[in-house]
């Protein structure tokens, strides 16, 4: 499934909310690490939005609820320079 600009903006809104509320804290940690590694704020949020997209598509595909553990594992993958996986 292709991510449209509208979908991406919605996911970035989610990233910004997670950063502000620090819920989960791993989003804030990932964002700060990406900034420290030279990413712009916009690019860091886009990278984190990919993890939200992966989780969103998994929910649609499997009809199962949000999997917080998988989402956090994907944030950790981003922190380690890897792409999120389903």
């Amino acid at each position: 499934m292709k991510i449209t600009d509208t979908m991406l903006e919605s996911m970035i809104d989610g990233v910004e909310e997670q950063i502000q509320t620090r819920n989960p804290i791993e989003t804030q940690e990932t964002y700060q690490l990406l900034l420290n590694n030279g990413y712009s704020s916009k690019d860091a949020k886009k990278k984190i939005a990919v993890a939200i997209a992966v989780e969103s598509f998994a929910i649609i595909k499997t009809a199962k609820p949000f999997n917080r553990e998988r989402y956090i594992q994907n944030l950790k993958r981003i922190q380690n320079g890897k792409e999120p996986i389903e």
Side-chain angles (χ1 to χ4, degrees):
M1 179 179 275
K2 185 177 186 268
I3 299 174
T4 66
D5 289 341
T6 303
M7 292 167 69
L8 180 61
E9 285 304 315
S10 179
M11 290 175 198
I12 288 174
D13 288 345
V15 170
E16 289 172 346
E17 183 175 332
Q18 289 179 15
I19 290 168
Q20 289 175 351
T21 62
R22 302 176 73 108
N23 184 22
I25 189 66
E26 289 85 359
T27 303
Q28 172 65 32
E29 292 169 350
T30 303
Y31 177 69
Q32 196 58 54
L33 180 73
L34 291 171
L35 291 179
N36 292 345
N37 286 330
Y39 284 84
S40 69
S41 177
K42 182 177 181 178
D43 287 343
K45 289 175 184 175
K46 281 183 179 180
K47 242 176 141 42
I48 296 168
V50 172
I52 292 177
V54 167
E55 187 57 31
S56 297
F57 294 143
I59 290 168
I60 293 166
K61 183 178 174 182
T62 65
K64 293 183 179 177
F66 173 75
N67 184 326
R68 182 181 175 93
E69 182 178 315
R70 178 178 51 217
Y71 177 62
I72 291 172
Q73 286 174 347
N74 277 323
L75 291 174
K76 298 284 185 188
R77 287 182 61 79
I78 293 169
Q79 291 176 13
N80 291 315
K82 299 178 184 174
E83 293 297 318
I85 57 173
E86 192 175 320

